[in-house]
Amino acid sequence: MASKEPTDEQPAKPVADRTLVVVHAFGDYRRGDSITDPGEVDTVLKSENAIHCRKVIPQ
C-alpha cells in the first residue's frame, strides 16, 4: 500500500459565493481583475471601493 505524502492532500481553498470583477481601478487592482478570495471579497464589499466592482456568480 502506498503512503500518502502531505503534499498529496492539500486543504480545500474556500470558495466565495460570488466573484468581484473590477470595473474602475483602485489600490493594486486594475480594470478587469477578478477578486475570488472570500476574505478579500468581503473586505472590498465593506469598503468604499465596493462601487468600483461588479458582483458575478461563479459557474
Side-chain angles (χ1 to χ4, degrees):
M1 185 156 78
S3 65
K4 289 189 176 184
E5 295 294 320
T7 57
D8 290 345
E9 295 180 15
Q10 295 182 6
K13 188 175 182 180
V15 178
D17 60 344
R18 69 190 65 154
T19 297
L20 300 180
V21 176
V22 178
V23 293
H24 296 287
F26 65 92
D28 292 335
Y29 296 108
R30 300 293 163 239
R31 183 178 180 175
D33 286 351
S34 293
I35 304 172
T36 58
D37 179 76
E40 193 63 24
V41 168
D42 189 48
T43 301
V44 171
L45 289 176
K46 291 179 180 177
S47 75
E48 66 276 0
N49 293 316
I51 62 171
H52 301 299
C53 299
R54 294 294 177 258
K55 298 175 195 171
V56 178
I57 298 173
Q59 296 183 16

